[in-house]
Each structure stands twice: as structure tokens, then as C-alpha cells.
Amino acid sequence: MTIVKMDQVTKKFGDVTAVDKVSLEIEEGEIFGLLGPNGAGKSTAINMITGLLSIDKGSISIYGKDVRKDKMSTKSCVGIVPQDIAIYEDLTSLENVKFFASLYGLRGEMLEEAALEALEFTGLSEKKNQFPKSFSGGMKRRLNIACAIAHKPKLIIMDEPTVGIDPQSRNHILQSVKKLNEMGSTIIYTSHYMEEVEEICTRIAIMDRGKVIALGTCDELENMINDKDVVVVTISEPASRVDEKSIREIPGVENVDIGENTVKITSAREVTNLDRIIQYFIQNNFTIKSVESKTPDLETVFLSLTGRKLRD
Amino acid sequence: MTILRIIAKEIKQRIRDYKTNILMVLFPMVLIVILGAAFSSVFENGIEIGDISVLYTIDIEGGDPIFENAFGTFRQYMSDGMGVQFEETSDFEKGIRDVEGRRFTAYLHITGRPLRIDMYRNENSGFKSGIVENAVASFLDSYAAINVVVRNDPADLSEMRQPDDTGGVRVTALDRKRQPGSTDYYAVTMLTLILMYASLTGFWCIRSEVDDKTGARVLCAPVRRYQYLTGKILGNIFVTIIQGFVVLLFSRLVLKAEWGEDMFTVAVLIITYSIMTVSLGAALAFILRSAEMASGLLNTIIPVFVFLGGGYVPLYALGDTISRISVVSPVRWVNSGLLDLIYEGSYFDAYISVAINLGFSVLFISVAALLSGKRRDGYE
């Protein structure tokens, strides 16, 4: 069953087209990933689904209902985890969750139970009477999620819910997303962290400059560039000393991604150039610690499709 | 029900905002005490008109029955209406000595043809002798008219205004038997001052939700914009009114400030005024995109409005020009509405103030509602 249908949706801010004729269908039970760099149009698309932003052209329906015509009805079955932490610092955790859940019609004991359940789910039960101002960034993110799920929405939209938090909190959130999905919620998950999307999403749309440039499962997307080989060279010296231009001049090299001590090189599969690559590092007095051949990931897919890195 | 939820949340948040509560409640209480004590002598609270005594000498050769009749009526009025004591003396030197010796507030030396009244007063009796001076000037104005009519057509005298209602503004002003003391005065003006500052809380109640992105989150729920706006504004108005009443009760019960008999109308004035100030802030939150600009504007206009409203110094002490300009200040209308109601039992300014408060409230809320629909990006 199609939960969300976007049909030729366009949104402009002045002369800038933030979302450009995007068409998507998100099925029930999916964890649907929207992957793209900052400014790709992910949040704009999300805000149109939630009814927060008007749609310039095209249409969006949730459970078959047009978000413009049945605004209140479509909103009531959605839970939104905004990109920015949107909680009240002067209300306790429990009060925050209860307030937002109450806006969806929950009352009395049902409201109390639902709020406690959401806090339990996000691991904040013990902090229910504490004010968020004393929380770490990760705990605030979890409370941000608790406020979105207490009313048990069928569709949960998570807009970059792991921005700026420690790995432990990130893992907790990713596990929570999987659990929510197992409990029956359909999830739309936006991120510019491809590892997260790869880990949890059943289907992924890659967005860039307001357009969906690729759509499919993780494997399908990676197979889009099965004509590529990826080699990761780890060196002892800072990789910033590596001359990217020189590597690009090696036949077959299409992209070079320089990390702290690693250089990730994408090459056309039909060209054998590993010896030339290693030669470059030896001739330039770099100490090679390891050379790994990797299958292309979403980062490589994005790089291949746009010529830019996801975090550019 | 959604509106009630938002109102309850607003009230909870405002109650927990200790800094603002101190500003809105404790600050005016302290100011009333300090200003009430500091300016008690300026207000001369407790001066009775009866404390004024006037010595006079009528030195008109051959007498002037018309003048003497009019002056007798004037004395009667001043004595009955204001408690001013008159005493006649034929000795000019004694008159001067008695005024110098502060046994009398003023000495009037009346000579005739043409009629002339010389008034002598002690330098230290400024306020009281000012009253006498104003009253005598008013008397002379009307006597001149009476004199002309009587000498030409005495039958028309009944059409003339008598001395007791001639004096125009200044004598009429002196007709107040009850005057506010400094604590009474500042209880009113500090309350209206601090309620004017509630416009800042009205502003921040909207602005903080934009900055913290919580407003957008609320609007992602099945909540209509009008519900959201209404809940927020009503919640803040409610808390502001409660804060105002706490200050009022403190001044009335602890400081024994005078609030008159008609507490219902006083309450109506305070409630409508609170609605207006909070709405002003809410409207500005939508009109001006920059928080600094909006709060700067409010922090600039509020002291000006309060000054023009006689919040710091009574308007009559600021001169006619300021008094005329003061009509632009809503604080002036609520202050005069309250003071006239309390001390004169007059409802005229109170009604004007209620009308101004409600009129501007409707305007500000309409602007906020209109712009909240247009400025959707304010919640992004």
C-alpha cells in the first residue's frame, strides 16, 4: 500500500528551485531514505509532506488523502522528528512529550501512558521529571524523537535526527528507528550520512539540487556503478600532502576522495591501474600502510552521479 | 480543546520564568515603595483646602456694592467648596506682616476705580498660594463680565455664570477633595508601566517559538494557525493579568494605596490594557523579522509612552505641551482613566481607555493573524 505519494512536486523560494518535479511513492512498512548533501531539497520535501510548506506545483497525498485538502486528517497520522531539536527547555521531558502528544488528541490516562511509553522507548524514563536544559545533545535528540512517537503515528518522518551527536546516541537512535519500523511504522529518514542510510533504509532516494537523481534499494543503487572499482590507500603521513591532480592523471581514475590518512580512488573497472596508483605513493615517499579494494558504496554512487561528495 | 492545551502550556512556562516574574511583580512593588516614599512631599498628600487662609483689605473709596456682592459670593464659594478661610483687615501693614509671618497663605489688597487686586504671598507657600492666585484670577475674569452686564442690563445677570463656576479649568481642578498621595499615584502608574512591558513578553512568546523551532513542530501537528496563535496570546494575557492583580493587591492591602470603590471597572481597565499590550508584542513579532529590532523598538517606545502617560511624573507637572502630546500614549489614557475613576468617580477617561485598549487589541491581533498566515517561513 502506498503511504506517501509525491507527484511532480515543485517548490521555489524566489528564483531558487528547492524541489524540482519530484515524484516518489513510499510504501507501507518501508524505511525510506532521502539521501543528499545539505541544500539538496530533503527538508523542503519533508516540510511539504508535513503541510508546513505550501506546494507550488504537483501534489502530495498521504494514505490517499491530499495534504492540502485534508490537512488536519493527514497531519494526524504523521509524527515528525525535526532536524532542529524542537523541545521546550522549561518543560520536563514528560511534560514535553505529553504536550505534543496531546495535540494529536490523546487525553487523560491514555496520554500519560503513551508519553511514558515513548520515554521508555527512547531510554529517558529515568529523566522524565528533568528539564532538557540539563541534557546532553544525544539525550535531547532522543527526547526530540519521543515527542514525535508518543501518539503512535503510522508514518514517522525523521529529518536528520542524528546531527551533532556522539556515536553511542547515534546507535541508540538508529536501533530505535529499526524497532519503530518493526512495530509497524513506515519511516521516512533523511540524512547526509550515507552510512546510516545504508544501515537502516530499505529503499533510498538520492537527491541533489532539488531533484531525485537515483532511486532504489542500496544494492540497486550500488549496482548502478558496477563498472567502477574503488581502492582505499592508507598511508602513515597526512593525506593532505597527496597531490590529487597527479592521481587523477593516472589512466582510468575518475574520482579521488582524500581523508585524514586515506585516499579513496574510484576507477573505471576496465582499466587496470592499481600498479600505477601504488607507484605514485612510493615515488612520492609516502609510507603505504594498506591497500584495500572496496565495492562501491552510496558515497561512491553519489560521487559518480554528481561529481561531488555528499558532504561538500 | 487544543487551544486550552496551548494556553495551559503557556501558563506553565510563564510561571516558571522566574526572571520575568520578578521583573513583572517584584519590580513594580519595590518601585511603588521607593517612589512613594521619595516623592511623598511633592504630592503634598493630605493638604486640605481648609489649610489655606486669606487675609484681605477692600480699600475702594466710596465702596462698590457690585464688587462687594460678587466678592462675597466668591468668598462663600471658596470657603464652602474648598475650606479656604477669609479674614478682613483694614490694616495693609498687618496684612503684609501676617503673610510674611506665615499666619496667612496670602494677602489680597483690593483697591478701586479701576478695580485692582494686589496679592502678597509668602515665598514658601508656593502650592497653596498658587491655588489662591488661580482662584482670584478666575474670579476677576468673571467679575469683569458681571460688572459690564450689571451696569448695562442687570436683568441679564441671571444668565451669567456665577463666580463658583467661572474659573475655568484651574478652579475646577481645585475642586477635587481627594488627591492621590505619592504611594497612591505610583501604585497606579507603576502597575500600568509594568503592564506596558508585558508587550515584550507578548513579543517573545511568539518569537521564542520561531527561534526554538517549536512553533513549526506544533504546526506539524493537527493544529490550525488560529488555534496556535489564540492559545499563545490568551495564555500570556492570562498570566499578565494575574501579575497585574498581584501588584494591585499588594499596593492595596500592604501599602494601603487607594484604588477607589469600583474595583470592577478598575479590573476591566487592567484586563483590557493587558490584552492590548500583549497583543502589541505579538503583532510586532510578526511585523519585524529581526528580534533585536523589535525588542529595541519596544524598549524605546515603552518608556516614552510611560513618560507621556505621567508614569514617572504627573502630567500636570510637565506643562501643557506635553499634556497635549500625551494623548498619543495609551498609558496616558489608562492612567487618567484609573485616576479619574478612583479620585473623581469619573468614568469618561476610563471608557475612552477601554475603547482604545480594545480597539488596538483587535488591530494588533488581526495583524498577527494576517501575518502569521503569510509568514509561513517564520516557522521553517
Side-chain angles (χ1 to χ4, degrees):
Chain A
M1 183 187 181
T2 302
I3 303 279
V4 178
K5 185 176 180 185
M6 296 179 77
D7 186 16
Q8 294 290 302
V9 175
T10 299
K11 177 71 187 175
K12 287 187 176 187
F13 295 107
D15 295 334
V16 179
T17 305
V19 171
D20 191 5
K21 294 177 188 166
V22 167
S23 293
L24 286 173
E25 286 191 11
I26 298 164
E27 302 297 321
E28 188 166 22
E30 280 193 300
I31 302 180
F32 188 88
L34 268 180
L35 182 67
N38 290 328
K42 308 184 297 290
S43 294
T44 304
I46 293 301
N47 285 339
M48 285 190 286
I49 294 172
T50 59
L52 204 58
L53 274 180
S54 58
I55 303 162
D56 289 348
K57 282 181 189 168
S59 65
I60 299 175
S61 61
I62 298 176
Y63 284 100
K65 291 178 181 172
D66 191 300
V67 294
R68 283 178 293 199
K69 290 174 189 160
D70 292 301
K71 214 173 199 177
M72 293 299 121
S73 164
T74 52
K75 279 180 171 185
S76 62
C77 57
V78 179
I80 174 100
V81 181
Q83 183 173 350
D84 297 294
I85 296 170
I87 50 176
Y88 296 102
E89 298 271 338
D90 45 7
L91 297 183
T92 65
S93 303
L94 183 60
E95 287 168 343
N96 263 292
V97 178
K98 281 173 74 175
F99 171 69
F100 284 110
S102 73
L103 300 178
Y104 292 84
L106 269 64
R107 302 278 180 273
E109 277 183 27
M110 196 185 282
L111 174 64
E112 185 83 19
E113 280 172 20
L116 289 172
E117 209 175 301
L119 287 171
E120 175 78 36
F121 183 82
T122 49
L124 291 171
S125 287
E126 288 176 9
K127 308 280 183 186
K128 66 178 181 183
N129 293 321
Q130 289 186 20
F131 292 95
K133 59 183 95 171
S134 62
F135 287 5
S136 67
M139 285 161 73
K140 284 183 183 177
R141 286 270 167 205
R142 276 145 62 191
L143 180 57
N144 207 28
I145 293 173
C147 291
I149 61 172
H151 62 288
K152 298 186 175 59
K154 293 175 188 170
L155 173 64
I156 301 170
I157 298 172
M158 296 183 155
D159 192 3
E160 311 230 17
T162 58
V163 170
I165 58 171
D166 57 279
Q168 198 183 346
S169 291
R170 176 176 292 185
N171 285 338
H172 190 285
I173 287 173
L174 294 179
Q175 293 312 312
S176 303
V177 175
K178 285 180 185 171
K179 240 189 265 179
L180 285 166
N181 182 245
E182 284 163 16
M183 289 158 66
S185 294
T186 302
I187 290 161
I188 300 177
Y189 190 95
T190 83
S191 179
H192 60 269
Y193 295 121
M194 62 97 189
E195 305 89 346
E196 288 180 3
V197 175
E198 272 181 333
E199 184 183 337
I200 63 169
C201 293
T202 52
R203 214 152 58 95
I204 300 155
I206 297 179
M207 286 190 77
D208 187 44
R209 300 179 203 273
K211 292 189 175 188
V212 173
I213 57 172
L215 175 66
T217 62
C218 194
D219 287 343
E220 284 168 349
L221 291 175
E222 285 166 2
N223 282 334
M224 285 172 71
I225 54 164
N226 57 10
D227 54 344
K228 305 279 189 294
D229 275 330
V230 178
V231 173
V232 178
V233 181
T234 306
I235 53 178
S236 298
E237 296 78 10
S240 55
R241 282 176 46 201
V242 172
D243 181 14
E244 186 180 330
K245 198 180 163 195
S246 300
I247 298 179
R248 281 184 181 274
E249 284 170 357
I250 297 170
V253 172
E254 293 183 355
N255 277 302
V256 180
D257 182 9
I258 295 174
E260 206 172 317
N261 291 98
T262 58
V263 181
K264 188 173 170 184
I265 301 158
T266 308
S267 303
R269 184 161 286 174
E270 71 269 15
V271 181
T272 306
N273 58 6
L274 186 59
D275 54 337
R276 298 280 299 272
I277 290 170
I278 291 169
Q279 199 178 5
Y280 165 82
F281 285 96
I282 291 168
Q283 281 177 353
N284 288 281
N285 298 319
F286 288 105
T287 310
I288 298 174
K289 287 172 80 177
S290 66
V291 177
E292 286 176 272
S293 176
K294 287 202 165 182
T295 50
D297 55 17
L298 289 177
E299 180 82 47
T300 320
V301 174
F302 187 81
L303 197 64
S304 171
L305 292 172
T306 66
R308 290 181 294 119
K309 286 192 283 186
L310 262 172
R311 284 162 216 177
D312 273 351
Chain B
M1 201 62 183
T2 301
I3 293 176
L4 289 179
R5 297 270 169 192
I6 296 171
I7 290 174
K9 190 266 296 175
E10 286 297 314
I11 292 172
K12 200 178 279 182
Q13 286 181 293
R14 285 286 304 275
I15 288 171
R16 286 178 183 167
D17 184 357
Y18 302 118
K19 281 182 190 170
T20 307
N21 284 330
I22 287 170
L23 177 78
M24 295 294 289
V25 177
L26 283 183
F27 185 61
M29 287 177 177
V30 171
L31 277 179
I32 294 167
V33 172
I34 292 173
L35 293 174
F39 292 101
S40 59
S41 58
V42 175
F43 280 79
E44 299 201 41
N45 189 25
I47 289 175
E48 296 294 331
I49 300 298
D51 291 344
I52 301 175
S53 53
V54 178
L55 194 62
Y56 69 94
T57 301
I58 299 177
D59 192 8
I60 302 172
E61 200 176 320
D64 184 341
I66 296 170
F67 170 78
E68 283 170 22
N69 186 36
F71 190 66
T73 307
F74 168 68
R75 288 201 315 270
Q76 192 66 44
Y77 162 71
M78 293 293 283
S79 178
D80 293 348
M82 301 184 194
V84 178
Q85 302 299 312
F86 282 86
E87 192 177 314
E88 187 171 11
T89 177
S90 55
D91 185 349
F92 174 80
E93 297 298 330
K94 177 184 181 301
I96 298 295
R97 276 199 312 275
D98 282 353
V99 169
E100 282 176 349
R102 296 193 197 180
R103 282 184 289 280
F104 286 87
T105 307
Y107 170 59
L108 306 176
H109 185 232
I110 304 161
T111 52
R113 301 205 177 89
L115 180 68
R116 177 187 171 93
I117 299 179
D118 292 310
M119 180 177 151
Y120 299 88
R121 63 183 182 186
N122 187 288
E123 284 180 0
N124 297 319
S125 64
F127 180 70
K128 294 176 190 176
S129 60
I131 292 172
V132 177
E133 186 180 356
N134 285 332
V136 169
S138 297
F139 162 72
L140 280 176
D141 286 347
S142 70
Y143 171 71
I146 291 167
N147 197 29
V148 169
V149 173
V150 166
R151 288 181 200 287
N152 291 296
D153 188 358
D156 286 348
L157 188 60
S158 59
E159 300 295 318
M160 292 296 299
R161 294 185 299 171
Q162 293 300 305
D164 59 344
D165 62 3
T166 58
V169 178
R170 281 186 282 192
V171 169
T172 305
L174 294 173
D175 197 20
R176 292 177 182 169
K177 292 206 171 173
R178 297 158 70 200
Q179 293 283 329
S182 54
T183 301
D184 304 319
Y185 185 81
Y186 286 113
V188 169
T189 60
M190 289 303 105
L191 173 62
T192 56
L193 173 147
I194 211 67
L195 290 179
M196 193 69 215
Y197 274 98
S199 54
L200 279 168
T201 60
F203 170 77
W204 283 113
C205 86
I206 300 292
R207 184 71 204 189
S208 63
E209 296 248 16
V210 177
D211 292 346
D212 297 341
K213 314 287 180 186
T214 43
R217 183 167 204 159
V218 170
L219 291 170
C220 284
V223 175
R224 296 182 194 280
R225 273 172 202 275
Y226 85 85
Q227 293 174 317
Y228 168 72
L229 197 61
T230 308
K232 289 203 68 72
I233 292 177
L234 285 182
N236 278 275
I237 287 171
F238 179 80
V239 177
T240 302
I241 289 168
I242 297 298
Q243 288 169 333
F245 283 144
V246 170
V247 175
L248 187 153
L249 288 174
F250 170 81
S251 67
R252 186 185 173 108
L253 300 176
V254 180
L255 302 178
K256 306 294 180 194
E258 179 65 55
W259 281 96
E261 304 300 320
D262 187 356
M263 285 306 289
F264 175 77
T265 307
V266 168
V268 169
L269 272 166
I270 289 171
I271 289 168
T272 55
Y273 181 63
S274 302
I275 294 170
M276 190 272 290
T277 58
V278 173
S279 309
L280 165 67
L284 268 184
F286 289 102
I287 294 168
L288 297 174
R289 303 297 297 273
S290 156
E292 289 75 21
M293 191 186 289
S295 61
L297 179 69
L298 281 173
N299 278 314
T300 306
I301 62 167
I302 290 171
V304 173
F305 277 169
V306 171
F307 172 75
L308 290 176
Y312 308 116
V313 181
L315 269 182
Y316 61 77
L318 297 173
D320 289 345
T321 309
I322 298 289
S323 287
R324 274 196 293 274
I325 297 170
S326 72
V327 294
V328 303
S329 167
V331 186
R332 178 252 196 239
W333 289 105
V334 74
N335 281 347
S336 61
L338 285 166
L339 290 168
D340 285 0
L341 178 68
I342 297 165
Y343 295 99
E344 290 182 19
S346 165
Y347 286 81
F348 184 72
D349 279 4
Y351 290 147
I352 291 178
S353 178
V354 168
I356 287 172
N357 293 339
L358 291 179
F360 276 113
S361 298
V362 169
L363 174 71
F364 294 145
I365 290 171
S366 303
V367 167
L370 196 70
L371 293 181
S372 77
K374 287 188 173 177
R375 293 263 172 95
R376 298 172 74 93
D377 53 338
Y379 298 110
E380 288 171 25

